Amino acid sequence: MTTDTGTPRSPAGQHFSRLAAFASSGAARPALLGCLGAALITVGALGAGSTRLHDPLLESLHLSWLRFGHGLVLSSLLLWGGVAVMLIAWLWLGRRVIDGDVSEYTMVATTGFWIAPLLLSVPVFSRDTYSYLAQGALLRDGFDPYLVGPIENPNSLLDNVSPIWTTTTAPYGPAFILIAKFVTLLVGDDVIAGTMLLRLCMLPGLALLIWAAPRVARHVGANGPAALWICVLNPLVVIHLMGGVHNEMLMVGLMVAGIALTFGGRPVWGVALIALAVAVKATGGLALPFMVWVWMRQLQDRRGYRPLRAFAAATAASCAIFVAVFAVVSALAGVGLGWLTALAGSVKIINWLTLPTAAAQLVNVIGGLFLPVNFYAVLDVTRIIGIAIIAISLPLLWWRFRHTDREALVGIAAVMAVVVLFVPAALPWYYTWPLAVVAALAQSRPAIALIAGFSTWIMVIFKPDGAHGMYSWAHVLLATACAVVAWYSLYHPDRRPGQYAIAWARRTTSRA
């Protein structure tokens, strides 16, 4: 491409021109609307987000009033208004996905528009970023974050960590602890700079997911733009993972990129990336056993190995790569495997997002009407049953889904769904694990509508300060109503949102 004077444009200039052309086209309307929503979230989060307990910056800017009284009400309205606008933009784009009226470039460019304002936001819907920074400071200051909690290293970072996590050791892999240490080495105990830099460290995960999700989808005969809509532009990813600054963004991006490379005939690099994903968060390891099947078939097809020899070679090579990656990362971080013992720390979380906890809550509520019930005793039993279900299901699913690459993908989605549903405790962003894989498998209109409804419910049920509204009937009913509208808007994409009320009124009148 050249300029009007005939001078060739640089690649950066070409990209900018293409982006400018996109921004001025009709295809960019959902992107611009979502950008507005993200901007509203960023402004509203100053008062209603997961803010610092003591914020000298807001005080110096004379904006501390946003956190209290009428200022908090205004901030909350702006933030929730931004969430609503982003959901509308996402559903609008989803209607175009169903119609096959979007390109991968549209989805990638839209992601940029939606993410840009959130790069300046305080954490929203979670306070985990403060724990990340405090754990990184532990390693920086000579402590082992797998042996002690942040409370052992008093500093200004500790002031903002949720009390429940101050005594908890780090449940994250050495790669992420190393990243957190790097951030605190650069910014010291500056919470604002640390949050911003840590969010930037999540961008490679987002970039890998954008690169890999369409490739995995095309490999199994699915649609690339639809995959991006499900697992990249999903509000659970944009608002929770990027806005909330969660290391799932790195883990999911590395894992899906590893799957894409393995499917593409580069299993060594694929397994290495998945091992790196595990070094961020252990959940990434759920994909690794299924990659053994993929690598085994490639050895059979390309080198003529017999099944047993191919399986043995793929297994041995995968284990060797995994151990090598972990050894290098652990040596760089100067830590061991103590993080594995900290994975049980999530039992402190109690909400309805997992079946064991939901079952215990129901037994407590219903059984309590007839006889005394010890909720925590029931919870211990249901959680043990949940762990047993996971332990039994995972090997069975690994063996069942072994025949094709698509089956391997189904198996990964299934084991992740089982883990999220039956693990002792879960949080909204945990559901991005299976969504990243389901994106290439569930692309029919009913499936997309269900994903829209479910994602909307999970998005709305939590509060911007990191708490959840599952014990408020009003909040649950509101989240459910939003989910139904989201589902219906894509299940019947021929109707505009304003037509739903008209259709409902007509049905009510006819019944009367």
Side-chain angles (χ1 to χ4, degrees):
M1 185 179 291
T2 60
T3 62
D4 294 337
T5 60
T7 305
R9 285 181 176 171
S10 66
Q14 293 177 22
H15 286 304
F16 180 78
S17 297
R18 188 179 183 186
L19 186 62
F22 167 77
S24 61
S25 68
R29 290 175 182 173
L32 298 175
L33 183 63
C35 183
L36 172 62
L40 291 173
I41 292 173
T42 300
V43 174
L46 290 172
S50 304
T51 54
R52 299 169 64 188
L53 298 181
H54 306 286
D55 201 326
L57 178 62
L58 282 183
E59 292 172 4
S60 66
L61 296 174
H62 305 291
L63 293 175
S64 57
W65 59 274
L66 289 171
R67 301 177 59 191
F68 310 101
H70 295 302
L72 178 58
V73 173
L74 175 61
S75 298
S76 299
L77 289 173
L78 287 172
L79 195 152
W80 278 115
V83 171
V85 169
M86 287 201 75
L87 284 169
I88 291 170
W90 183 57
L91 295 172
W92 186 3
L93 198 58
R95 292 161 69 94
R96 293 186 174 182
V97 166
I98 291 174
D99 294 338
D101 191 28
V102 288
S103 65
E104 284 186 20
Y105 180 80
T106 295
M107 310 305 276
V108 174
T110 299
T111 304
F113 276 95
W114 291 9
I115 291 294
L118 292 175
L119 294 179
L120 302 175
S121 173
V122 305
V124 287
F125 293 93
S126 172
R127 304 185 66 83
D128 279 7
T129 184
Y130 305 128
S131 297
Y132 297 160
L133 293 171
Q135 288 159 359
L138 280 173
L139 190 61
R140 176 198 67 189
D141 296 337
F143 295 91
D144 188 339
Y146 299 151
L147 295 178
V148 300
I151 199 168
E152 298 295 330
N153 188 29
N155 53 46
S156 58
L157 296 173
L158 179 63
D159 297 339
N160 299 285
V161 178
S162 297
I164 193 175
W165 302 127
T166 55
T167 58
T168 304
T169 55
Y172 311 116
F176 184 71
I177 293 296
L178 193 59
I179 292 171
K181 174 187 175 181
F182 168 75
V183 169
T184 57
L185 279 173
L186 289 181
V187 304
D189 295 337
D190 189 320
V191 178
I192 296 175
T195 298
M196 298 300 177
L197 183 55
L198 196 58
R199 182 181 278 122
L200 292 178
C201 290
M202 301 301 114
L203 286 177
L206 180 65
L208 285 171
L209 188 59
I210 290 172
W211 174 83
R215 283 168 170 78
V216 173
R218 288 194 296 269
H219 184 79
V220 296
N223 181 267
L228 290 170
W229 182 84
I230 292 170
C231 73
V232 172
L233 287 158
N234 193 307
L236 290 179
V237 174
V238 174
I239 299 177
H240 272 294
L241 295 195
M242 290 303 300
V245 196
H246 285 290
N247 56 15
E248 264 84 359
M249 188 75 263
L250 273 178
M251 184 272 288
V252 169
L254 287 166
M255 180 189 70
V256 179
I259 294 171
L261 286 172
T262 305
F263 282 173
R266 289 177 283 180
V268 173
W269 289 106
V271 170
L273 282 189
I274 293 174
L276 201 55
V278 181
V280 172
K281 196 162 186 175
T283 319
L286 294 173
L288 190 55
F290 291 92
M291 295 301 98
V292 171
W293 295 128
V294 177
W295 197 347
M296 169 187 164
R297 286 192 298 275
Q298 291 176 359
L299 290 173
Q300 288 179 271
D301 295 340
R302 298 175 183 179
R303 299 194 179 183
Y305 283 17
R306 293 183 179 276
L308 186 59
R309 183 186 177 193
F311 177 78
T315 302
S318 298
C319 290
I321 294 168
F322 183 87
V323 170
V325 169
F326 243 86
V328 170
V329 175
S330 297
L332 290 174
V335 296
L337 297 176
W339 62 287
L340 294 174
T341 61
L343 295 177
S346 63
V347 297
K348 297 179 180 180
I349 303 169
I350 298 178
N351 60 44
W352 291 71
L353 288 183
T354 64
L355 293 180
T357 307
Q361 297 275 17
L362 289 174
V363 170
N364 183 53
V365 171
I366 299 174
L369 298 175
F370 306 100
L371 67 155
V373 175
N374 185 328
F375 169 71
Y376 291 99
V378 175
L379 182 61
D380 287 341
V381 172
T382 57
R383 284 179 166 177
I384 290 172
I385 294 172
I387 294 297
I389 290 173
I390 292 173
I392 295 170
S393 299
L394 264 55
L396 292 177
L397 290 169
W398 173 71
W399 182 255
R400 165 62 182 84
F401 296 105
R402 69 186 190 278
H403 302 99
T404 65
D405 289 357
R406 182 181 179 84
E407 277 199 8
L409 211 57
V410 173
I412 297 170
V415 298
M416 287 190 166
V418 168
V419 169
V420 172
L421 289 173
F422 290 98
V423 78
L427 291 164
W429 44 93
Y430 288 17
Y431 286 88
T432 60
W433 311 341
L435 274 178
V437 183
V438 166
L441 301 169
Q443 297 191 353
S444 65
R445 177 185 294 183
I448 285 177
L450 282 174
I451 289 171
F454 176 78
S455 299
T456 299
W457 192 88
I458 294 289
M459 181 73 248
V460 177
I461 199 62
F462 264 65
K463 300 177 182 179
D465 62 355
H468 65 78
M470 295 183 193
Y471 295 107
S472 166
W473 281 110
H475 198 135
V476 171
L477 290 174
L478 176 63
T480 304
C482 292
V484 170
V485 170
W487 166 80
Y488 194 76
S489 67
L490 295 187
Y491 192 76
H492 297 283
D494 54 309
R495 288 181 176 170
R496 297 182 181 276
Q499 293 178 306
Y500 301 149
I502 296 173
W504 178 84
R506 286 176 178 172
R507 285 198 298 271
T508 303
T509 305
S510 63
R511 289 173 184 170

